[in-house]
Amino acid sequence: MTALALDEKHASDLDARDELRTLREQFHIPPAPGGRYSDAAYFAGNSLGLQPKVIAPRVAGELADWARLGVEGHLEGNRPWVAYHELLREPAARLVGAQPAEVVVMNSLTVNLHLMMVSFYRPTPERHAIVIEDTAFPSDSYAVRSQAAFHGYDPDEAVIRLRPREGETSLRNEDVVAALERDGDRVALVLLGGVNYYSGELLDIETITRAGRAAGAVVGWDLAHAAGNVPLQMHDWGVDWAAWCSYKYLNSGPGSLAGAFVHERHLADRTLPKFAGWWSTEPATRFRMGPVVEEVDSADSWQLSNPPILAMAPVLASLEMFDAVGMAALRAKSMRLTAYLESVLDASSVGPAAQIITPRDPQRRGAQLSVRVSDIAAGTVTERLRHGHGVFADARQPDVVRLAPAPMYNTFHDCWRAATALAEVMSDRAG
Ligand SMILES: *Cc1c(COP(=O)(O)O)cnc(C)c1O
């Protein structure tokens, strides 16, 4: 097993048998800044996904419509802009396992977290806590703290940060459930990452949602690292709301537009507090320009502005790619790819100086392995990986290196390269 995992030809054989191998040709793969190969082995798709080749012509098409039609592009042209966001509804719904009316693509992720909390964080003196993970992405931490403060509560008291057990590196689902059972009567909102950005852990969204709701809390999920990474069933799992960005696994470009999900049971609830804009109102009467919003029974009712079409075109193109392959096939390849990366890391015996902190159970992780390094800074490791080996990885200082094999474009050979390069960097670290 060890010898096989370290065999470069074995990696190439796995690629030759991979049914999704031609997807890679649909992407621009950056050149390698160093090492033996001309292309980079790109493992930073959990931070910024690679650019699909179809995006440039799709954006150029919108620019051409604008040049040719001016304002009439709203109603004419290939994909008239007034209704453009509706083209994203169905593919976005399939991606997260939602009904079409439950999703909308708009804004950026942190903005959507706030818009969702306007409606779904409704604290009272008895029940105002917000539960997050201790390793929550900083933007989520800042967002929930600012929401608690906005409502007049002390964020240090209101925000409960869930920590792994002593000596462990990820949460246990049963511990999250136990915490909700124990403290649930003071919890107003649970906001967790479906896949944690740091450890790569995939939480049991369905079970935790059930426990949170049973405790009387509203349960929201940040799917930044889950959308396009793992299959999701937000509707069936009964999730109250969710939000995600589209520039990580969804390859829609730096800072690209985000998504939001609101469960059907909330869509016609006129008592929810909400901020409104002209894109919140009923589209059939929008251009009568009346003084009062006519609410719609869909997630569109959380929209504010007319969407930035040049930013939305890449999201639509990317969603079409996910639709064409399907999350089931992507997840199947992803699990094989990540397990293979793990086996080469294990076999290349970098030893205790490089420890995988992501759960070892493939059901409890997405397309990411986080490696804790010692005696060398994580940033030095990723520098040497990139310049010495053409491997793009991501450093979370001081000591975590994240490697994300994305099934859309990464190969088994990329995994072999990344793991053997890491072993080399680690064994040379003293020098
Ligand atoms: C990437 C990421 C963000 C980034 O937020 P933006 O508003 O898109 O800048 C926020 N939260 C999580 C969990 C993330 O992974």
Side-chain angles (χ1 to χ4, degrees):
M1 181 60 208
T2 299
L4 192 59
L6 290 174
D7 176 8
E8 181 172 6
K9 184 171 173 305
H10 176 60
S12 304
D13 291 345
L14 292 172
D15 284 323
R17 291 202 300 268
D18 169 21
E19 285 168 11
L20 300 188
R21 68 184 174 280
T22 58
L23 283 177
R24 176 182 176 86
E25 293 157 16
Q26 298 180 30
F27 288 85
H28 292 289
I29 311 289
R36 294 198 279 134
Y37 305 90
S38 56
D39 285 347
Y42 191 80
F43 284 83
N46 55 347
S47 197
L48 181 67
L50 288 180
Q51 183 185 147
K53 290 176 181 167
V54 70
I55 283 185
R58 292 290 284 267
V59 174
E62 299 308 328
L63 288 169
D65 278 356
W66 178 22
R68 189 169 58 89
L69 298 165
V71 69
E72 297 304 330
H74 284 299
L75 299 172
E76 294 171 24
N78 208 6
R79 296 181 184 83
W81 304 324
V82 198
Y84 199 97
H85 78 275
E86 290 170 15
L87 302 173
L88 289 84
R89 198 194 313 278
E90 298 209 357
R94 283 190 282 275
L95 185 81
V96 298
Q99 298 182 358
E102 293 173 322
V103 297
V104 59
V105 174
M106 58 181 188
N107 313 312
S108 48
L109 170 55
T110 308
V111 173
N112 287 350
L113 293 175
H114 278 296
L115 290 179
M116 291 293 111
M117 285 192 276
V118 165
S119 297
F120 296 110
Y121 176 55
R122 300 161 76 188
T124 63
E126 303 73 41
R127 189 186 275 280
H128 58 262
I130 305 176
V131 171
I132 63 173
E133 334 84 298
D134 196 39
T135 56
F137 193 84
S139 205
D140 301 50
S141 286
Y142 307 158
V144 299
R145 289 178 62 85
S146 68
Q147 284 282 337
F150 176 74
H151 288 278
Y153 297 99
D154 171 7
D156 289 333
E157 180 265 334
V159 177
I160 301 175
R161 304 179 69 96
L162 299 178
R163 290 188 178 76
R165 291 187 190 185
E166 194 61 40
E168 298 188 3
T169 53
S170 47
L171 292 170
R172 295 192 191 193
N173 289 302
E174 67 264 30
D175 290 355
V176 178
V177 169
L180 293 173
E181 283 167 357
R182 190 180 61 237
D183 296 328
D185 55 2
R186 64 186 184 100
V187 177
L189 176 69
V190 180
L191 173 56
L192 297 169
V195 173
N196 183 264
Y197 89 99
Y198 185 79
S199 68
E201 174 179 26
L202 166 61
L203 287 172
D204 182 344
I205 297 176
E206 183 176 19
T207 301
I208 292 171
T209 298
R210 199 182 306 120
R213 295 190 62 223
V218 173
V219 184
W221 288 89
D222 187 324
L223 303 178
H225 282 262
N229 180 7
V230 294
L232 298 165
Q233 293 298 337
M234 302 316 277
H235 177 85
D236 288 349
W237 295 341
V239 167
D240 287 299
W241 63 270
W244 61 93
C245 55
S246 63
Y247 47 82
K248 292 169 181 167
Y249 294 99
L250 294 176
N251 312 318
S252 302
S256 188
L257 290 167
F261 162 90
V262 177
H263 198 277
E264 186 187 31
R265 64 179 168 271
H266 301 301
L267 294 180
D269 182 352
R270 299 281 185 261
T271 68
L272 284 176
K274 243 181 234 179
F275 290 159
W278 73 319
W279 240 249
S280 322
T281 201
E282 167 57 46
T285 54
R286 178 174 295 141
F287 289 94
R288 288 188 203 148
M289 310 306 237
V292 179
V293 152
E294 284 179 51
E295 288 202 38
V296 290
D297 294 344
S298 77
D300 283 10
S301 128
W302 277 265
Q303 286 187 120
L304 302 177
S305 296
N306 81 106
I309 300 301
L310 299 181
M312 200 165 247
V315 185
L316 177 58
S318 165
L319 287 172
E320 287 170 1
M321 291 174 76
F322 276 82
D323 250 359
V325 198
M327 274 315 299
L330 278 172
R331 174 66 168 160
K333 173 171 173 184
S334 175
M335 289 176 91
R336 285 201 304 278
L337 213 51
T338 302
Y340 174 72
L341 175 66
E342 181 181 36
S343 72
V344 190
L345 283 170
D346 285 341
S348 52
S349 63
V350 281
Q355 288 288 325
I356 295 174
I357 61 167
T358 304
R360 292 296 194 147
D361 175 357
Q363 306 292 343
R364 290 187 54 218
R365 67 187 185 203
Q368 176 179 320
L369 294 178
S370 302
V371 181
R372 176 163 284 147
V373 294
S374 34
D375 314 326
I376 184 169
T380 308
V381 173
T382 52
E383 270 297 301
R384 292 183 186 173
L385 283 175
R386 194 154 77 87
H387 292 288
H389 303 269
V391 173
F392 283 65
D394 163 284
R396 290 292 134 174
Q397 297 285 35
D399 61 354
V400 169
V401 174
R402 301 184 306 163
L403 295 167
M408 277 266 188
Y409 47 76
N410 280 120
T411 61
F412 290 89
H413 189 263
D414 285 343
C415 294
W416 178 86
R417 263 175 79 186
T420 52
L422 180 64
E424 206 174 305
V425 169
M426 290 308 293
S427 68
D428 292 347
R429 68 188 181 281

